[in-house]
Amino acid sequence: RVGKKVVKSKTEKTVLAVYKPAGIVCTEDKREKKNIIRFLNYPVRVTYAGRLDKDSEGLLIMTNDGDLINGMMRARHEKEYKVRVNKEVTPEFIEKMSRGVHIRDKEKNLDAVTRPCTVKKTGKYTFSIILTQGLNRQIRRMCEALGYKVNVLKRIRIMNVELGDLKPGQVRELTEQELKELYGTVKERENAGISRTSE
């Protein structure tokens, strides 16, 4: 206790599933009026483990556990998205997206071929995609490279954590089972990475 203020121990870990609406920015920059920290206004200081671009919506994991954030950033974990595009999704488009797409951006100094990923058509203009990498605006750039424009991009899963019934702006704490699995997977992937680099 400092004066009348109760100071809580930083060891108490908070891990949240947050539905980020489109238009909210993943930044801690206070000059950005629509930043996720201000929008969330959570009583415990938390930050995001992996971004979603401003125009995208859906699941963010937010936490005050720096080790978890670092572990998630290093691990090649699955992230699943639902996407709506401006024209019909063809078998050729699905095949090219799945195989990997060459994306370039001179301004961002980006020139890469995306990793193979799982892509499934879900409707005339919609598909689902599971990524294990997180290049800047990756799905939008992949679609653009193939002549498509993304109209709606929604992340519905990060590893074992699902967006579920959350509505835009809603937050929930992860269940004990989700936490156990999340921490277990991050640790497992980190250990696998250490053993690969030591071989």
Side-chain angles (χ1 to χ4, degrees):
R1 187 183 291 275
V2 181
K4 290 184 178 179
K5 190 178 178 184
V6 176
V7 182
K8 279 194 173 182
S9 165
K10 286 187 178 178
T11 54
E12 198 175 313
K13 290 172 185 172
T14 300
V15 187
L16 308 170
V18 177
Y19 189 141
K20 182 192 93 65
I24 300 298
V25 185
C26 286
T27 181
E28 294 194 4
D29 188 341
K30 288 175 180 164
R31 291 169 297 182
E32 171 56 66
K33 286 181 182 175
K34 291 189 172 181
N35 83 48
I36 186 67
I37 311 297
R38 183 179 286 141
F39 172 79
L40 197 61
N41 194 25
Y42 201 71
V44 176
R45 173 85 177 147
V46 289
T47 192
Y48 43 87
R51 297 165 184 260
L52 260 181
D53 70 54
K54 182 178 180 178
D55 300 325
S56 300
E57 63 183 278
L59 181 62
L60 272 182
I61 289 179
M62 297 193 66
T63 180
N64 59 355
D65 184 351
D67 291 337
L68 177 62
I69 292 171
N70 292 334
M72 286 179 67
M73 301 308 275
R74 285 193 296 268
R76 288 187 177 189
H77 59 270
E78 286 190 350
K79 292 160 289 183
E80 185 174 355
Y81 302 80
K82 284 184 176 177
V83 189
R84 175 175 284 277
V85 286
N86 65 330
K87 55 187 186 180
E88 190 168 347
V89 173
T90 63
E92 183 189 20
F93 170 79
I94 294 291
E95 197 265 330
K96 285 180 177 176
M97 288 285 284
S98 302
R99 200 172 55 211
V101 179
H102 192 178
I103 54 178
R104 286 190 189 94
D105 187 332
K106 285 181 182 176
E107 281 182 31
K108 299 277 182 185
N109 198 23
L110 179 65
D111 189 351
V113 176
T114 60
R115 277 185 211 139
C117 57
T118 304
V119 187
K120 289 178 184 168
K121 181 173 177 171
T122 55
K124 190 173 181 181
Y125 302 102
T126 58
F127 64 93
S128 67
I129 181 168
I130 300 172
L131 299 180
T132 56
Q133 74 188 129
L135 299 173
N136 185 260
R137 296 174 71 86
Q138 181 172 338
I139 296 169
R140 294 178 189 278
R141 292 175 193 278
M142 289 169 78
C143 289
E144 280 166 18
L146 299 177
Y148 284 70
K149 181 177 180 290
V150 170
N151 290 335
V152 180
L153 179 56
K154 179 178 175 181
R155 185 158 64 198
I156 59 168
R157 179 173 66 86
I158 300 171
M159 296 163 79
N160 64 302
V161 182
E162 296 188 7
L163 184 65
D165 297 330
L166 283 182
K167 301 286 186 290
Q170 286 187 335
V171 180
R172 69 171 177 84
E173 289 190 3
L174 266 59
T175 64
E176 275 188 39
Q177 183 58 38
E178 283 175 323
L179 287 169
K180 189 178 173 184
E181 205 173 315
L182 182 66
Y183 276 95
T185 306
V186 168
K187 193 169 185 180
E188 197 178 283
R189 299 236 167 111
E190 280 194 316
N191 290 342
I194 289 163
S195 63
R196 272 200 302 274
T197 53
S198 61
E199 281 169 6

